[in-house]
Structure formats: structure tokens, C-alpha cells
Amino acid sequence: MVLCLTRISAFLLLSLLVQPAFAQKKPLVVSVDNLPAYGLVLDRGWRFNAADRREFARPDLDDSRWDTINPVSMVHKLPQLKGLKVGWLRLHFRVNDSLTGRSLVLQAYQTCASEVYLDGKLIRRFGKVSAEPDRQMVGGANALPDEFILTPGDHVMAVRFAVWPGAFALKWGNTLMAITVTSLHGFAITLKQNVLGGYLYMFVASVCFLLCLLHLSFYRYDPTKRANLYFSAYTLASTFGFAIWGLFWQLESAPEELLMMTLSSQAIILSTVFLVEALISLYAFRLRRARQVFWTLFAVSAVLVVFNANALCLGIPVLFFEGVLTWLTIKAMREKRRGAGIIAVAFAASILFLVAGIAIVVFDINTSNLLWTAVWAGIFLCPAIGISLYLSREFALDSKSLREKLLEVEKLSARTLVQEQEKQQLLASQNERLELLVSKRTDELSKSLDNLRATQNQLIQSEKMASLGELTAGIAHEIQNPLNFVNNFAEVSVELLGELKEEAGAGNTADVIAIADDLQQNLGKISHHGRRADNIVKGMLQHSRTSSGAKEQTDLNALADEYLRLSYHGLRAKDKSFNAQLVTGFDPELPVVNVIAQDIGRVLLNLFNNAFQAVGERLAKEHDGYQPKVEVHTKRTENGIEILVRDNGPGIPEGIRDKIFQPFFTTKPAGEGTGLGLSLSYDIVTKMHGGALTVVSEEGKFTEFAVMLPG
């Protein structure tokens, strides 16, 4: 029985040969002349009847009209069994004297329940025969046999059987019945080999499981090495497959045996796929489409093996993946991948075991089950051990490299620590020197800062005095006008007084009254122009004094007009030939604004002075066709009051527009400007009044300053 099992299993897993046909016409009486060491399979001379009668067990029954049948065939290849509930098999055989009087053992590998009769006597039951499938119990290959003794002459073996219905759907090892006769000694040897084979399978399963755990730990340690994960999956599937074969000899039910064999075959295919994945990941090959093909082939094979797990459905995928593994190994060897030789030796050993197994099947070599177990173990264990050695070697090399780098890092750290200590000492000494130097430089900078502040105050005062000088020139011109009126009206008044005396002496009362009226008018004009001069002087004094910082209601139109005139006449006092067109556009509805009038006056005076100087410079360069013009406009906006000062001078170059509000920046020749006018104006407008001072200019055309004050 075991011999038949191993032959069929090896045949399905390792070869692509079509199962041989056994159904041949046999003689009526089969002669049994000798008994091989591993038993004799009774596969010839059987007769079949589909009826169920107890007298079919009688040895004298005439069965010459029964159909011939080979019960070793697969159930699905015996159409006469379709729909059969209970049938009978009969075999006539003759033994020679060498087999008589000896203790023999009957074993059966089957997918049915059976009762075996020898010469009309029931000698063995395998399972429970019943016409009702629910009450039927199918016997398997590993049921314990019974001992019997044959006498010389002819004998009849009759078998009553009931086929397991599932055997027609599944096409995996579903032999109807393979009865084996062996000696008691041969059975003991076979049983011992089965047990040892089971232990060997369990040992291989244990080794695979340990490798699975080992490489799972490697993967957890370094998840970037996915080859460890795939190899763990390969060894886990191999563990499952070998564990099933290790437990197979203990099963006594055919459905259980078929289920286990199906699961084992699926595990075998799955393990080869994961082995391919492990090698692809190990060598970093880019075979995306090929991997999709591999998994598709596995899925198809896993489904087909459930119903037809023969050489085509199981052997072809396994051999295909073995070829892929060989190709990957050769590819790695050609590319001189590190450690590829280890895997190549492992796969070469696996292929040798595979070739040995195929040779046993093809040449029908009679061998023991233990040897078959060793062949299977070698086929699957060699790649597992080889790849495990490779991955372990890689892990060891990586660990060695890490240790070397760690030692190097430690040396560098020690060296760096010494250097760091030296640097700290050097830095400490340098810090002391720097602190002394910084302290010395700080004292020097403090003195320089005090000097700078004093100088800045002097420059500001100089800017104010320069502004005051320009203002004084304008004021002097403005005062000259009312003083001329005062002097003229005073002279006229003296003459009128002389005439008044003459007319009074002459008694001309009417003339005296007329002259008195003229004197009264002259004195009024003298008083008017005297007050005008007084106001001008007061404004000059107010401009020269330090600002109090108090805001007051101010008419910006009047303020702008006054300082425009003062600036213009101040420039004309320096240059009598200078003339410019003054254009004013004052908003008549402009409200009074709460500002520091003295400071805003300084801002406007500075802007007017710059405007007149700009048009003067352009006039000096362009005499013909150029008319200097300075415009002043006021208007109310949504955000407050806007004062625009525009001139048609040369404009401000684009490169310096962002610098004109910086302190001490000036474009005037040395000695003619301090560079603080616009800077002070900017601070007065923005910081003291919360407004804005902006400029728009175009070279060769105009410059326009805008003063925005909140209203």
C-alpha cells in the first residue's frame, strides 16, 4: 500500500508523464509466484458486478460473465461506477508452495469503503460499507491490516465496496482500490519506514519553521530587506506542506487524506512562488510583469489542483518555477552578485534531488518510502538552507560593517572630543581676550556715539539755521515792502502837515478838514503795514524757536501760501535774476487741521526750497524754452488732507529715490547741504503727525511730493 502511495505521489509531483493504463484483459486465474519485499499489488484479473448480493462472496460463484475492471485506476476513469451505491469485485488467484503457511498482511489504498472476503470468509473491513452515503465511512491507506495465511491451490478474493461520492469530483489520488499483499516482516519494515519518514517530514517542517522565525526577526530588525519577509513566507508554506506529509501516515479516512494532499500541493506551489519573490527581492531584479504572471499562474494552479491535482496541474507549475529559479540564479551569477554562488550550489543540489526523484518514477525503480522522503526533503530543504545561509551571511556582513563603522565612529568621537576640549580651552582664552577687546571697543564706541549725537545735534541745528537763513532772506524782502509803505506814507504825511498849517493860517476850514482826512488815511495805512511787518517778525521768531510740540487749529491753505512766498522771495534775495511761475490750487472748503504749525511750516519750507532749487538747476542748464514752475495744491481726501508740491525740475534719478529720506543723504555739493531736510520732514509728518510723505518723479520732467495729514 505504502509503495503504491509513494509511487503515485511522486508521479503527481515530479513528472509530466501520463499515468499508464492498467485496464487490460487479464487471465481468469492470476498466478502469484513470489512476494516482493515491499508487497505485491493485485492489479490484474479483477471482475466487477454492480449488484449487491451476499452470495457474491462464495468461492464457487460463476463470475465469468462479469465485467473486467482494474480497481487501481482512478475513480473518474471508471464510468461503470457512476451512480453505483454498492458493488462487488472478485479475483481468482493461485499461489505456489513458497507462499503457503506464511503470515501475510493485506493492505488497501482506496477511496471507498470495503469488505474483503477470502474464500467466502470476511477477513478485513476498511471503513463502513452502506448504500446510504450519509452512513458510509470511507477507509484510507493507513488503516491497520489483519494477518491471514494462505493454503496451496486456488483462492477467490471478493470485495464488497461503496464508492465515496467525492472521488468523482476530485482527481487527486482517487484510486478506487489498490490491494497489496505483503509478508508480516515486509509490513513491519514498511511501517517502520513510514514512521521514520513521518519523523523526517516533521523534522524538515521544524527546520523550516525555525528558519521562518529567524528571518522574520531579521525582517523586523531591518524592514528594508524584504527578501527576509518573502523567504519567511516560503519556509512557512514549506512547514505547512511537510507537516501535512508528516501526519499523513496517521490518517485512516480517504476524504481526510485527499484534503491533506490537496492542501499540501497548494502549499508546495505557493512556497515556490514565494521563493521566486525572495530571489527577485534579494537580487533587486525589476520583473514587475513577470511577477504578475507568476502570481496568476499560482492562482490558476491552486484552483485546478483542487479538482485535478495531477502531473499537469501540479508538476508543470512546480517545474516552471524551478526553471525560473534556475534562470534567476544564472542571471545573478553572470552579473556577479555577492553571494550568488551559495544559492547556486543550493539550487544545484535541489535539482539533483529532483532529477533523482524523476528517475525513480520514470524507470520504475523499486525503492523504500524512507528514501522517497529523503528525496522530497532534499528538494525543498536545499534551497531553504542555501538562501538562509546567504541571508545570514548578508546579515553577518552588514553587522560586521556596522561594527567597523561603530568603532570608526567611536574613534572619531574620541578624537572629536579631544579636539572639542582643545577648542573649548582656546575659545575660553579667546573669549577673555574678546571681552577685554569688546569692553575697550565699547568705551570707544560710547564716546564715538556721544560725539556722533553731538555732531548730529549740531547738524540739525545747522540745518535749522540754514533754513532760518533762507527764511530770513525771504522775510527781509517781505518786511521791506511794508516798511516802504510806512516810509512813503510818513513822508506824505509830513508834507500834508505843512499844508495843513498853511491852510489853517489862511482860515480855509474845508481844506484843513480834507487834509486831516488824508492824514488819517495815511496813518491808518502806516498802522496796517506796521502790523504786517510785526506779524512777519513774529513768524520769524516763532520759526527760530524750538517747537513746543503743542498742536493747534491751523489753516493749511494760509500756511502753505505764506511759506511759498517766503521761500520764493528768499531765493530771489540771493539771485535777483531768478523768476518762476507760482501756481496754487487751494481747496476753498479745506477745514482747519489740528497740527503743530511751526513744524509743518518747516516741512513745507523745505519742500518749497528744494522745488525752487531744482527748477533753478534746470534753468541753469536749459536757458531756451524752459519756464520754471512750482505748483502747490491742497485737497481733502477720504483719509485726510493732502498737500502736493510739484516742480518741473530735472527730476530725481530712479537709483536714489529710496535713499532721499535717509539721514545725511544729499545730492548737493559738499558744504551746501547736510542731508537732514527731507529726513526731518519725514519724521515730522510720519512720527509726530501720523501721516505720510511720498514722492513721485520722472527724470527730465517733474518731481511731486505728497504730504498726507489725518484730518
Side-chain angles (χ1 to χ4, degrees), residues 490-541:
E491 292 176 359
V492 172
S493 296
V494 171
E495 293 176 357
L496 287 175
L497 284 174
E499 293 178 0
L500 178 63
K501 290 179 180 180
E502 293 178 359
E503 294 296 333
N508 295 328
T509 305
D511 291 335
V512 169
I513 294 173
I515 292 172
D517 290 337
D518 290 340
L519 285 171
Q520 186 178 6
Q521 290 178 1
N522 287 344
L523 291 174
K525 291 181 179 180
I526 290 172
S527 176
H528 168 72
H529 288 290
R531 286 193 301 270
R532 180 182 172 192
D534 182 63
N535 291 333
I536 292 172
V537 172
K538 287 181 180 179
M540 181 184 67
L541 294 175

Side-chain angles (χ1 to χ4, degrees), residues 341-416:
I342 298 175
I343 298 179
V345 172
F347 278 109
S350 176
I351 292 174
L352 289 178
F353 279 105
L354 180 63
V355 171
I358 295 176
I360 292 173
V361 174
V362 172
F363 298 106
D364 196 19
I365 300 174
N366 193 3
T367 184
S368 65
N369 190 33
L370 185 60
L371 181 59
W372 262 112
T373 304
V375 170
W376 280 112
I379 292 173
F380 286 90
L381 202 56
C382 286
I385 294 176
I387 294 181
S388 181
L389 289 175
Y390 173 85
L391 293 174
S392 300
R393 177 177 177 271
E394 292 296 306
F395 184 81
L397 291 176
D398 292 341
S399 299
K400 181 180 178 182
S401 176
L402 288 175
R403 284 195 301 271
E404 292 175 352
K405 291 181 180 179
L406 181 60
L407 292 175
E408 185 178 354
V409 169
E410 290 178 351
K411 293 179 181 178
L412 291 175
S413 299
R415 188 183 307 169
T416 303

Side-chain angles (χ1 to χ4, degrees), residues 463 467 599-608 610 660-661 675-689 691-694 705-707 709:
E463 180 68 22
S467 175
D599 290 340
I600 295 299
R602 289 176 180 171
V603 172
L604 294 176
L605 182 63
N606 187 34
L607 295 179
F608 295 149
N610 290 342
I660 61 174
F661 295 118
L676 292 173
L678 288 177
S679 174
L680 292 174
S681 300
Y682 185 83
D683 290 340
I684 291 171
V685 174
T686 58
K687 296 180 180 179
M688 298 176 63
H689 290 83
L693 178 60
T694 58
F705 284 90
V707 179
L709 296 173

Side-chain angles (χ1 to χ4, degrees), residues 22-32 43-47 63-64 66-69 90-94 155:
F22 296 96
Q24 301 177 5
K25 188 174 181 180
K26 304 298 188 296
L28 184 61
V29 178
V30 178
S31 296
V32 180
D43 57 354
R44 298 177 300 158
W46 289 93
R47 300 284 185 169
D63 54 15
S64 58
W66 288 20
D67 294 335
T68 58
I69 192 172
R90 287 173 61 87
L91 174 66
H92 297 263
F93 64 94
R94 180 182 299 114
H155 298 275

Side-chain angles (χ1 to χ4, degrees), residues 597-660:
Q598 183 180 351
D599 290 340
I600 295 299
R602 289 176 180 171
V603 172
L604 294 176
L605 182 63
N606 187 34
L607 295 179
F608 295 149
N609 289 340
N610 290 342
F612 285 124
Q613 290 174 2
V615 296
E617 291 176 2
R618 184 173 180 183
L619 180 62
K621 296 178 181 179
E622 303 177 15
H623 296 284
D624 300 333
Y626 174 69
Q627 176 62 42
K629 182 170 65 173
V630 176
E631 303 179 34
V632 183
H633 300 274
T634 61
K635 62 179 179 178
R636 181 165 187 165
T637 64
E638 296 180 356
N639 299 323
I641 305 300
E642 183 179 59
I643 304 174
L644 297 177
V645 180
R646 181 185 179 99
D647 65 76
N648 62 345
I652 302 175
E654 184 177 359
I656 65 173
R657 288 176 196 170
D658 295 335
K659 302 178 181 179
I660 61 174

